[in-house]
Amino acid sequence: MERSEVAGWNLRLLGANSQALTGELGRTQSAKRGGLFLTNNENALKLYQWLAQRHPMTLYSEPLQIAQIKEWKPDLIISYNYKHIIGEDVIAYMQGRIINLHISLLPWNRGSNPNFWSFMEDTPKGVTIHQINAGIDTGKIIFQKECFFDPQKETFLSTYETLNREITELFKEKWQELLTGKFVLAEQNGEGSCHTMKDFKRIKSEIDFAWSDTIAGVVERYKEYKERSQGKEEFV
């Protein structure tokens, strides 16, 4: 494996599995020239490991500061399940060299819990690699792939795992183009949709469910909730 390092990694989020990947995770290191891989989710580690075998890559989980980026001068920043907002100063400095891996078919289901909302609102499903701009998942599309599921057979967990596999494979397939910048950008067409964590928590409090529940059953409960809510509004 080529040089790979960890800068500011949150051990509590990663758990024991991270130790097999990097060794001394408790020590904060300064990033060096190469790529910067941003994540706060354990499910991104396999892709990071794959990347670190092919390109100098630093794993990072904390909020980014423009002073760090000017010092480190990464050639590419990759965001995958990264919870922090990237500042406009960092975005401007990188000049289009920040990309995000998002498990929805943009412009549909920007923001939080895209897999969940794609079924609740019956919108197209898929994965997208896009440039990061100042908006919430509104950057230009680099690559994307539509996916199809049977809600009668699938759960939110199974579709989530499938979407993460699909975006990982799409990234690997297109890695050389992403690294060299040899791709054609596409604007996001149409209004699409966007959701916040607050939206999800509100629905979760009204129609309790588990990620292992069959999707079709949860969708029916959501429709019933919508009908009750509409009825109350008409009554008022």
Side-chain angles (χ1 to χ4, degrees):
M1 179 181 293
E2 294 184 14
R3 172 176 53 82
S4 60
E5 302 183 42
V6 176
W9 188 252
N10 189 329
L11 288 176
R12 182 178 59 80
L13 288 175
L14 271 181
N17 289 343
S18 62
Q19 296 188 19
L21 177 64
T22 56
E24 294 181 287
L25 289 179
R27 180 162 55 92
T28 298
Q29 303 181 35
S30 295
K32 296 181 176 63
R33 181 70 177 177
L36 194 58
F37 191 93
L38 310 176
T39 189
N40 299 97
N41 196 313
E42 194 174 27
N43 68 4
L45 290 180
K46 287 185 178 180
L47 180 56
Y48 163 72
Q49 187 176 29
W50 182 90
L51 272 172
Q53 294 175 336
R54 291 159 176 79
H55 189 69
M57 192 64 55
T58 298
L59 186 62
Y60 197 75
S61 65
E62 301 302 317
L64 280 178
Q65 305 296 329
I66 185 61
Q68 295 170 308
I69 299 304
K70 288 182 176 180
E71 177 187 353
W72 297 345
K73 296 180 173 60
D75 54 12
L76 178 66
I77 298 179
I78 301 157
S79 170
Y80 181 22
N81 288 328
Y82 179 62
K83 69 180 183 180
H84 303 291
I85 294 174
I86 299 175
E88 292 186 38
D89 50 358
V90 173
I91 294 170
Y93 181 83
M94 290 300 298
Q95 299 182 331
R97 298 291 289 163
I98 310 181
I99 63 174
N100 185 49
L101 281 64
H102 188 69
I103 57 170
S104 85
L105 196 72
L106 293 176
W108 295 104
N109 303 300
R110 302 182 183 106
S112 177
N113 294 283
N115 179 42
F116 172 81
W117 288 109
S118 71
F119 289 101
M120 294 301 101
E121 298 180 346
D122 193 23
T123 53
K125 300 150 185 67
V127 296
T128 305
I129 300 172
H130 66 95
Q131 283 187 331
I132 286 182
N133 62 10
I136 300 175
D137 300 321
T138 56
K140 293 180 180 179
I141 294 170
I142 304 174
F143 299 112
Q144 64 180 177
K145 178 181 179 181
E146 189 168 8
C147 300
F148 301 90
F149 301 101
D150 183 349
Q152 299 290 339
K153 298 178 180 179
E154 300 273 9
T155 68
F156 289 111
L157 179 59
S158 66
T159 53
Y160 176 78
E161 290 174 342
T162 297
L163 290 171
N164 278 284
R165 278 198 306 272
E166 290 289 349
I167 201 163
T168 296
E169 290 307 311
L170 180 63
F171 183 94
K172 290 178 179 179
E173 177 187 339
K174 304 296 186 181
W175 165 237
Q176 283 303 316
E177 291 99 315
L178 292 167
L179 179 61
T180 59
K182 294 180 179 178
F183 47 75
V184 177
L185 294 169
E187 297 285 352
Q188 295 190 27
N189 294 320
E191 183 177 352
S193 58
C194 184
H195 308 90
T196 66
M197 181 57 73
K198 184 178 179 180
D199 296 330
F200 173 75
K201 289 181 177 178
R202 174 174 53 83
I203 298 302
K204 186 74 165 63
S205 68
E206 295 289 341
I207 53 167
D208 190 36
F209 66 91
W211 294 119
S212 57
D213 290 348
T214 302
I215 291 172
V218 181
V219 170
E220 285 303 311
R221 297 206 294 274
Y222 177 69
K223 289 179 180 178
E224 292 170 359
Y225 159 73
K226 294 273 286 184
E227 290 172 0
R228 291 196 307 269
S229 299
Q230 186 177 6
K232 289 179 182 178
E233 291 174 0
E234 292 175 353
F235 180 78
V236 172

